[in-house]
Amino acid sequence: MSIMDALFDGRIYPGEQVLSKDPTYAETDRKMDLLMSKLEERLSKEDYDLVEEICDLLSVSQDIQNKEFFRYGLSMGLQLQREAYEYELPGLQDVAKSGEA
């Protein structure tokens, strides 16, 4: 199976498949869970529901931003590849021509 087929068929979704290996990520996630538990204990159900709604909206916002970061990085990488491919190496044409003779 090709990557293009997997992308087209929806079998590749980096937003759900890639997890950070940075230890700071896991620690931050643990701290957020702890704080959410404390808020749940201290707030009324209605207030805690508002906090959860804010968290959900923040997640949606981050997903949109991450998609733009992905597009930007991919586009930059492809442009860099094109630029590198089109770059004429000084003297290389002469070497190639001498090999043809």
Side-chain angles (χ1 to χ4, degrees):
M1 167 192 1
S2 74
I3 291 177
M4 283 196 298
D5 288 339
L7 279 169
F8 182 80
D9 296 339
R11 292 187 300 250
I12 295 177
Y13 186 68
E16 290 180 355
Q17 294 170 328
V18 177
L19 291 176
S20 176
K21 295 177 183 169
D22 185 332
T24 306
Y25 175 81
E27 179 63 16
T28 301
D29 205 40
R30 188 189 66 74
K31 286 178 180 178
M32 287 184 343
D33 286 343
L34 182 62
L35 289 173
M36 287 299 288
S37 294
K38 287 181 180 181
L39 284 173
E40 188 174 21
E41 291 171 6
R42 295 179 185 183
L43 297 176
S44 69
K45 173 148 178 39
E46 293 81 18
D47 288 344
Y48 185 74
D49 287 345
L50 287 173
V51 171
E52 283 189 317
E53 187 175 351
I54 289 170
C55 290
D56 291 343
L57 291 172
L58 180 60
S59 180
V60 170
S61 176
Q62 288 172 334
D63 284 347
I64 293 167
Q65 189 175 30
N66 287 340
K67 185 184 290 186
E68 289 304 312
F69 290 153
F70 175 79
R71 286 178 178 162
Y72 182 86
L74 181 60
S75 180
M76 181 184 285
L78 291 172
Q79 289 180 34
L80 178 63
Q81 183 180 12
R82 185 185 72 211
E83 184 178 320
Y85 178 76
E86 292 173 352
Y87 180 76
E88 293 187 24
L89 294 173
L92 189 59
Q93 290 78 17
D94 297 334
V95 173
K97 288 179 185 176
S98 66
E100 293 174 0

